[in-house]
Amino acid sequence: QVQLVESGGGLVQAGGSLKLSCAVSTRTFGDYRVGWFRQAPGKEREFVASVYWAASSAYYADSVKGRFTISRDNTKKTVYLQMNSLIPEDTAVYFCAAQSIRSGAGYDYWGQGTRVTVSS
């Protein structure tokens, strides 16, 4: 069981930066892989980045590689998504999600989302 709450979205100009936060609440942090997904208006939801809580190993979509950085703070129980060099195509609702490693299931736990708007 895990609960996720995103925050940090907002309006930013192209070329700017924004940092999203995902507060994670669970009794077994090491059991999860936490990922960021996004959904732009009229488009399918897409994977952005993920990190294994225990190993802190990260994975990125090609579209954000080199611009975004995912990290986790075990003390603050928070996963971050640092977004740099933002472009209008990054505009979307960003969701935090968790995958149980032990169960082998998919991303069954989701936050409510936080909106990011990048103006040109």
Side-chain angles (χ1 to χ4, degrees):
Q1 186 74 276
V2 60
Q3 293 177 313
L4 311 164
V5 180
E6 307 99 325
S7 63
L11 174 64
V12 64
Q13 274 193 254
S17 299
L18 205 60
K19 188 174 185 177
L20 306 183
S21 298
C22 174
V24 183
S25 297
T26 182
R27 295 183 183 275
T28 54
F29 288 91
D31 290 349
Y32 296 98
R33 178 185 187 180
V34 180
W36 284 99
F37 294 79
R38 67 186 183 185
Q39 187 166 23
K43 294 187 177 181
E44 296 288 328
R45 182 184 65 188
E46 66 174 340
F47 169 81
V48 176
S50 68
V51 62
Y52 286 94
W53 194 277
S56 192
S57 51
Y59 301 86
Y60 299 93
D62 289 339
S63 60
V64 306
K65 197 171 298 181
R67 299 190 298 121
F68 291 11
T69 302
I70 188 171
S71 62
R72 68 108 172 88
D73 188 317
N74 191 50
T75 300
K76 296 182 178 180
K77 310 303 181 186
T78 301
V79 175
Y80 302 99
L81 184 67
Q82 177 65 53
M83 305 184 293
N84 298 324
S85 302
L86 286 162
I87 57 177
E89 289 75 14
D90 294 321
T91 295
V93 175
Y94 284 71
F95 297 90
C96 183
Q99 176 186 53
S100 174
I101 304 303
R102 288 195 170 191
S103 71
Y107 285 93
D108 292 332
Y109 306 93
W110 295 82
Q112 81 289 347
T114 185
R115 186 176 298 276
V116 173
T117 302
V118 184
S119 62
S120 58

